[in-house]
């Protein structure tokens, strides 16, 4: 199956560069480009891409609000991968809260870009890079005390599901969680699915943010 991608960035060179790189992949096709967030929302409705590469700082409508509009409607089939120039961009965390499935630096290699698109299209979250864990940790710390309503909903999880959620928030993949808990990877996938359903979350990135905001785990060193 070919992964359909929409690139939203106000810089033409970025859009064209990513288009060339992604169209060189046999399983990825760039179906459109958007010059800002408002354009991206309209193009998503028109083209129904699988993944949107979304810049954060754009005129008219920024990437955060555009992400919120895109992920807040429909069946959740459209995934958003946020693009940023800085590895500790405060707006990236807000984008994750708005529904983005992960983020990628604009200087990523062609291989990293293609991998990110495939991961997000598959319904997983781009949480593996240490930079993502550092960002989530830092800005969840800045977010203040745990939010009580979120904390109360943790009671819906079983002990094992709570354990899996904690490991997701630390950036572990299903295979790594399976190894840590000495269970089959399929078992972990089942737990992850139940966690997302019980907590009403879109994907693993949302689960990681939830774990920090609910106070299930605290950022390392704080």
């Amino acid at each position: 199956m070919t992964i359909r991608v929409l690139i939203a960035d106000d810089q033409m060179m970025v859009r064209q560069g990513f288009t060339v790189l992604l169209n060189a992949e046999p399983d990825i096709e760039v179906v459109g480009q958007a010059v800002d967030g408002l354009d991206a929302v309209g193009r998503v409705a028109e083209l129904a891409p699988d993944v949107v590469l979304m810049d954060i700082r754009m005129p008219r409508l920024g990437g955060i609000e555009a992400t919120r509009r895109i992920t807040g409607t429909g069946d959740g089939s459209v995934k958003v991968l946020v693009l940023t120039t800085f590895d500790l961009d405060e707006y990236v965390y807000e984008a994750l809260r708005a529904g983005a499935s992960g983020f990628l630096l604009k200087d990523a290699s062609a291989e990293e870009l293609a991998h990110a698109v495939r991961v997000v299209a598959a319904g997983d979250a781009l949480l593996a890079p240490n930079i993502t864990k550092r960002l989530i940790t830092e800005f969840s710390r800045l977010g203040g005390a745990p939010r009580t309503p979120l904390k109360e909903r943790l009671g819906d999880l079983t002990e094992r599901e709570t354990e899996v959620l904690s490991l997701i928030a630390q950036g572990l993949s299903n295979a790594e969680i399976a190894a840590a808990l000495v269970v089959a990877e399929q078992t972990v996938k089942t737990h992850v699915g139940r966690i997302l359903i019980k907590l009403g979350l879109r994907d693993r990135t949302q689960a990681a943010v939830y774990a920090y905001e609910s106070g299930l785990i605290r950022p390392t060193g704080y």
Side-chain angles (χ1 to χ4, degrees):
M1 183 182 70
T2 300
I3 302 171
R4 295 163 53 82
V5 176
L6 173 71
I7 301 174
D9 196 295
D10 60 335
Q11 297 182 40
M12 182 177 64
M13 291 185 65
V14 172
R15 297 196 306 271
Q16 292 183 339
F18 280 174
T19 296
V20 171
L21 292 176
L22 290 176
N23 279 340
E25 299 294 326
D27 59 337
I28 300 175
E29 177 189 3
V30 176
V31 295
Q33 299 180 12
V35 299
D36 56 38
L38 198 59
D39 189 23
V41 174
R43 297 288 278 170
V44 165
E46 174 189 352
L47 300 171
D50 300 304
V51 177
V52 178
L53 295 184
M54 181 78 74
D55 188 23
I56 289 182
R57 297 179 179 87
M58 294 184 290
R60 293 206 300 170
L61 186 69
I64 294 176
E65 180 57 30
T67 296
R68 185 175 290 110
R69 295 185 187 184
I70 291 170
T71 61
T73 59
D75 58 4
S77 61
V78 181
K79 308 298 182 182
V80 176
L81 181 60
V82 172
L83 298 171
T84 181
T85 306
F86 308 103
D87 62 356
L88 280 180
D89 189 329
E90 62 181 297
Y91 297 108
V92 174
Y93 180 67
E94 291 304 317
L96 294 179
R97 295 183 65 183
S101 294
F103 84 102
L104 187 71
L105 294 180
K106 286 188 177 181
D107 63 357
S109 67
E111 182 179 358
E112 290 171 333
L113 176 62
H115 171 71
V117 167
R118 293 185 181 105
V119 168
V120 171
D124 292 327
L126 201 64
L127 279 178
N130 290 333
I131 190 173
T132 305
K133 293 189 290 185
R134 187 169 75 246
L135 180 141
I136 291 177
T137 298
E138 174 66 9
F139 289 99
S140 63
R141 179 182 70 83
L142 296 177
R147 296 161 60 186
T148 301
L150 296 185
K151 188 173 184 180
E152 291 176 347
R153 287 168 59 194
L154 288 174
D156 295 336
L157 303 182
T158 65
E159 183 177 348
R160 178 46 63 90
E161 288 167 352
T162 301
E163 191 173 11
V164 170
L165 177 58
S166 177
L167 294 175
I168 289 175
Q170 295 174 49
L172 274 66
S173 65
N174 283 349
E176 291 169 333
I177 293 175
L181 300 181
V182 194
V183 297
E185 187 172 347
Q186 184 58 49
T187 300
V188 174
K189 291 181 179 179
T190 300
H191 285 314
V192 172
R194 288 174 178 169
I195 290 169
L196 297 181
I197 291 174
K198 287 183 177 181
L199 298 181
L201 304 173
R202 298 182 186 90
D203 53 34
R204 296 169 70 95
T205 303
Q206 294 292 298
V209 173
Y210 188 102
Y212 283 108
E213 292 192 331
S214 66
L216 174 62
I217 61 175
R218 300 302 299 161
T220 303
Y222 298 95

